[in-house]
Amino acid sequence: MPRRTRIGFLLLAVTLLAIVSGLRRGATDETQTFRWPVMGTIAQVTVRNRSLSQTDLPALQRVYTRLDERLSAWNPDSELCRLAAAHCTNWLVAASPEVRPCYAAALRLARESGNAFNPRVGARLRELGVSGGGAYSDFDLGAIAKGFAVDVLAETITRRSAGAPPALLLDLGGNLRVVGDGVWRTGVRNPFDKAGPLVGVIALTNGESIATSGNYERFIEQDGVRLSHILDGRTGAPTRGIAAVTVVTPPEYGAVLADGLSTTLFVLGPKDGAAFLARHYPRALALWIPDTPAAPRVILTKEMARRLQHVVWPSETRTQTER
Ligand code: ADP
Ligand code: MG
C-alpha cells in the first residue's frame, strides 16, 4: 500500500477509536484499551471494568494474525495469494475451513448485488494502482475480511469465557462489534470535517456491529484527480457520488455483513441500496453521505433514522429512503 494512503488510513482508525472512547458511557466506568497494528490497520479491544487482563491478549492477537495469514492480498505467502497464483476457481472448496464463511459471504453478496460487490475486482484494482487491494491476488477480500475477523474474535472470546463474555468493544479499522453486556455509544463522523460535530451517535448493544466505508481516507490519485478505492464491480470503474456509508447490523448478520454491506451500498447508492437491503438484508440499517462537501446531506433508511441520536445537521439536510 502506498505510504500516503497507509498513513491516512491509520489516522482514520485512530480517530475512530478516539470517538468511541470519548463517548463511552459513564465516566466512572473503568475502561481499558488494547491497541496494536494488524491487517494493514489498527486493532483495538476496549474492555470495561478490567474484564480482560493483559495475559489474555496474546491469544486474541493470534486470532487476527492467523486470519491475516490466510486472507491477505498483500502477503504473497498468504493462503489467498497462493490459491490465486494456482488459478483457483472454486474458492469455497479450496480455502481452509476456518475462512470459508468469509468467501461464502463475499460470493453471496456478489450474487445478490448483481456483482456491484465483486471480490474479483482484484486485477482491476491493481491496474488502477488502488491502494486497497489486489496486490498479489485477483480475488480480493479487502471489503469484508476485517469484519469477518472481528466476528471470529468475538466468537473466540465468547467460547473462552464459557458463553459469558466480558463487556467489550472490538474495532478493526472501523469495523466494530459489541461483545457481552453493555451499551456502547459510537459516533458517525462527518467525512468532510473529521474534527467537527458528529453526524450522529448510535448506541449499540450485545452482538451488534457497525461499519463505515469512506472515500476520504483511502483513494487513488491519478493526474491530480482523486479516484475512489471502491469500484463498481459491474463495470470496474471507480465509484462516484458517495463520500461515506455507515451500516449497523444485528447479531445474526455479524460484522462480516456490516463490512460487506457498507461496500455494497457504497456502490449501489441510496436508492438501489435501500431496495437491496429491503430484499436481502431487511434487518440492516444504513446511511449514505453524498459526496457534496459544499452542501452536506445525509440519506437514511427508516430504521437508521430511528436509531441515530444527537443529530446536529439541520432537518432539511436529512432525507429518508423509501424502503
Ligand atoms: P476499507 O477497507 O477502506 O475500510 P471497505 O470495507 O469499503 O473499506 O473496502 C474497500 C476495499 O474493498 C477496497 O480497498 C478493495 O480492496 C475492495 N473493493 C473495492 N471495490 C470493491 C467491490 N466492488 N466489491 C468488493 N470489494 C471491493
Ligand atoms: Mg466493507
Side-chain angles (χ1 to χ4, degrees):
M1 184 183 316
R3 200 157 156 265
R4 170 182 35 116
T5 28
R6 179 176 281 259
I7 289 169
F9 192 46
L10 290 181
L11 279 177
L12 156 77
V14 170
T15 41
L16 263 174
L17 313 181
I19 279 210
V20 169
S21 43
L23 288 171
R24 73 176 186 252
R25 250 197 162 185
T28 51
D29 258 7
E30 241 184 277
T31 69
Q32 198 178 1
T33 300
F34 303 94
R35 202 175 285 155
W36 70 98
V38 67
M39 291 178 106
T41 187
I42 306 281
Q44 175 165 294
V45 178
T46 307
V47 300
R48 283 218 175 105
N49 304 323
R50 298 184 181 284
S51 47
L52 191 79
S53 77
Q54 194 80 47
T55 53
D56 296 319
L57 204 59
L60 306 188
Q61 289 178 320
R62 273 197 298 277
V63 173
Y64 283 162
T65 307
R66 198 178 68 226
L67 291 171
D68 196 32
E69 283 163 6
R70 301 219 188 283
L71 299 174
S72 172
W74 291 95
N75 168 6
D77 297 323
S78 74
E79 179 180 288
L80 173 78
C81 291
R82 281 189 289 106
L83 290 174
H87 306 289
C88 180
T89 49
N90 198 342
W91 298 90
L92 270 181
V93 170
S96 54
E98 184 184 31
V99 292
R100 271 180 210 159
C102 186
Y103 288 88
L107 293 168
R108 185 175 156 189
L109 277 174
R111 198 169 58 239
E112 291 165 342
S113 70
N115 283 328
F117 182 97
N118 188 353
R120 294 186 173 85
V121 293
R124 182 72 181 132
L125 288 166
R126 189 169 45 230
E127 201 176 291
L128 286 166
V130 179
S131 63
Y136 292 98
S137 170
D138 290 352
F139 198 91
D140 184 273
L141 292 170
I144 200 165
K146 291 189 288 268
F148 174 73
V150 165
D151 286 340
V152 174
L153 188 57
E155 277 161 35
T156 307
I157 293 169
T158 305
R159 204 172 48 241
R160 280 167 59 98
S161 52
L168 50 86
L169 183 71
L170 303 180
D171 180 356
L172 185 55
N175 297 280
L176 282 63
R177 180 171 176 140
V178 173
V179 180
D181 295 331
V183 180
W184 297 83
R185 289 153 52 77
T186 58
V188 179
R189 268 179 191 294
N190 175 353
F192 311 120
D193 181 11
K194 293 269 147 109
L198 299 171
V199 174
V201 170
I202 301 169
L204 299 180
T205 58
N206 198 349
E208 284 189 307
S209 302
I210 190 167
T212 294
S213 279
N215 227 1
Y216 279 68
E217 290 75 29
R218 295 172 83 181
F219 50 84
I220 338 150
E221 223 168 75
Q222 221 171 57
D223 305 326
V225 179
R226 188 187 270 197
L227 299 177
S228 173
H229 73 300
I230 298 176
L231 310 183
D232 184 329
R234 296 164 294 198
T235 62
T239 51
R240 284 165 183 276
I242 301 292
V245 173
T246 295
V247 176
V248 172
T249 55
E252 70 271 23
Y253 289 6
V256 66
L257 281 174
D259 192 2
L261 285 173
S262 70
T263 310
T264 310
L265 299 180
F266 200 100
V267 178
L268 291 177
K271 193 162 177 290
D272 292 349
F276 174 82
L277 284 188
R279 172 149 185 230
H280 296 287
Y281 298 97
R283 297 207 55 217
L285 325 177
L287 69 80
W288 292 258
I289 298 178
D291 197 1
T292 52
R297 283 194 314 129
V298 56
I299 303 169
L300 315 99
T301 60
K302 281 199 180 70
E303 288 306 312
M304 181 62 101
R306 280 158 46 110
R307 282 288 289 276
L308 196 70
Q309 308 166 343
H310 307 299
V311 181
V312 294
W313 286 15
S315 60
E316 62 270 20
T317 64
R318 295 201 301 276
T319 318
Q320 228 162 281
T321 59
E322 277 164 34
R323 317 284 297 258

